[in-house]
Amino acid sequence: MRARRTGALVPAALCTVLVAGCGGSGHSADGTVTLEFLSLAWQKESVDANKALVKQWNDTHAHVKVKYVQGSWDTVHDQLLTSFEGGEAPDILHDDASDLTDFANGGYLADLTPYLPASLRKDIPRTSWSTTTYKDATYGVPFLQEPRVLIAATKLLKQSGVRIPTARHPWTWEEFESVSRTLTRDRNHDGKPERYGVAWSMKEPVSQSVNLALSTGGRIFYQDKDGKNEIRYGERDAAVAQLINRQVNTDRTAPRSGLGMSGSDTLPGFFAGRYAMLPLNFSYRQQVQQQAPEGFDWTVLPMPSGAGGLAQGTAPQTLSVSADSPHKQAATDFIAYLTQARHQVRLARGDWLLPTSTQALEDPALTTDTYGWKTGSDIAAALRPSPVLGVRGYAEWKDKVATPAFQEYYNGAFGVGELRARLATDGNRILDRYQR
């Protein structure tokens, strides 16, 4: 499963080899406009849904046709930048909100404000729109989103007798720690449990460490009185990170080995009864459903809540229009078509994600208990823009400062004071360079 939601466009020099076209829109002899749509759908169900909707559009629109171009989720930033600078960007771009800041600042994306229909504006909540809006300009339509959830072994939960949380009555973080201790089994008391209550997969620790801070009333990324971005790491910002550190290094309710794992790496141990619960992105339900042994029963629970309730940060998938496209209204019309509520349901199910559409979230297909869809739809209202969105310099901070700092901290190399110094003191030096 992908490590992060980013998109990739084949560099302009390789377009003729790897994808047909890659040259933006065109006209036929009869005046028909052809728009290129770069899709980053990668699962078969998702690719099929996108292609079906493109065909449906083409069958019902005589003068504006859409050409589907298959991209990938790897190396998005550099490759898209290459296509923008080379004048080879497709008209319609599938990406995610975390990648729009630099592209918007670079003038590569069109402001969709004049072109968006009122019905689409109304159907998608304001909190979702804020993930793609900078300086009163809207650079993308947010249409799919992914919360983090707990995937748990039903049998072990029932045997333990713990209270089963719901979105209306979630566990607090304190309850979660207590439940993790209850679910941990160390029969010979040697400090090496046969079963851990939870496994934190922290191969890429930054996004979840930042996004889950919202649940305890933190943000990590703030704005000062002059509107400049700055990093702070106070008690509420650090609460979840400190909990994870305790579970790994003090309570021994989470394995240290999990810190170097991806989400996929934890699944074999989960199926074998090594871990009772896994905090994972919502789309991992598909892998669990496909890979679980016969008879293995699992359930999807909301993440715990704190001073911020069930809030957590997300960076939705987005659809944008290239600033160089000569057919911005037509391109936006196709985006509006693709993101109609009934179409978002198809796309969300194909990708095992949640739609942003309020109407789509009420669809029976997304409110069923099967595979935890209802848990996702129930917590959708609590999703907030990731604090990192709109922060220039975040990528450098993440790679050079935050990733190694969090990894060392979770492994017990130093305390929260040193973590704060690295994240905030060192991090603000980076942000300051981007805001001079």
Side-chain angles (χ1 to χ4, degrees), residues 103-362:
F103 291 149
N105 276 284
Y108 299 121
L109 302 178
D111 176 9
L112 303 184
T113 304
Y115 311 110
L116 289 168
S119 57
L120 182 61
R121 277 285 192 187
K122 183 178 179 181
D123 188 34
I124 296 176
R126 185 176 301 177
T127 52
S128 294
W129 283 116
S130 67
T131 64
T132 60
T133 301
Y134 311 109
K135 300 178 181 178
D136 298 322
T138 300
Y139 294 103
V141 175
F143 72 111
L144 294 177
Q145 55 191 342
E146 182 167 30
R148 204 158 183 84
V149 293
L150 290 171
I151 297 180
T154 306
K155 180 180 178 181
L156 297 180
L157 288 179
K158 290 180 177 178
Q159 288 176 345
S160 71
V162 301
R163 180 179 72 84
I164 306 301
T166 64
R168 181 166 294 186
H169 300 290
W171 286 329
T172 64
W173 283 105
E174 291 78 11
E175 284 182 281
F176 172 71
E177 284 192 89
S178 176
V179 168
S180 297
R181 286 191 289 268
T182 298
L183 291 169
T184 298
R185 286 286 178 270
D186 183 7
R187 291 186 175 85
N188 59 4
H189 305 288
D190 63 354
K192 298 178 181 179
E194 297 80 38
R195 182 179 76 219
Y196 291 92
V198 61
W200 290 94
S201 49
M202 286 289 175
K203 186 175 183 179
E204 295 195 9
V206 179
S207 63
Q208 56 185 309
S209 299
V210 174
N211 289 331
L212 290 178
L214 292 179
S215 71
T216 56
R219 284 191 60 81
I220 301 178
F221 286 86
Y222 297 85
Q223 289 190 340
D224 65 17
K225 58 182 175 56
D226 297 320
K228 290 187 175 182
N229 296 310
E230 67 176 4
I231 299 167
R232 305 174 202 159
Y233 206 63
E235 183 178 345
R236 291 186 173 187
D237 305 294
V240 174
Q242 288 181 292
L243 179 148
I244 296 170
N245 183 290
R246 285 195 301 273
Q247 290 194 312
V248 172
N249 299 298
T250 304
D251 294 346
R252 307 292 185 185
T253 56
R256 182 167 292 177
S257 59
L259 300 177
M261 294 182 182
S262 66
S264 298
D265 294 335
T266 61
L267 293 183
F270 178 60
F271 298 142
R274 180 77 168 147
Y275 322 123
M277 298 184 293
L278 300 176
L280 293 173
N281 285 345
F282 197 56
S283 60
Y284 274 94
R285 296 170 304 126
Q286 183 186 34
Q287 284 194 52
V288 176
Q289 185 269 331
Q290 292 176 342
Q291 299 176 17
E294 185 175 354
F296 184 86
D297 195 9
W298 55 280
T299 189
V300 178
L301 309 174
M303 291 298 292
S305 70
L310 284 173
Q312 57 174 286
T314 60
Q317 291 188 32
T318 58
L319 294 167
S320 301
V321 175
S322 170
D324 287 340
S325 174
H327 305 289
K328 295 179 180 63
Q329 183 63 68
T332 307
D333 289 344
F334 173 72
I335 291 175
Y337 177 84
L338 200 65
T339 54
Q340 290 177 14
R342 66 182 186 277
H343 296 161
Q344 282 200 39
V345 172
R346 293 177 66 180
L347 297 174
R349 286 181 60 81
D351 232 354
W352 289 68
L353 298 176
L354 292 178
T356 57
S357 162
T358 302
Q359 293 182 52
L361 284 166
E362 297 173 353

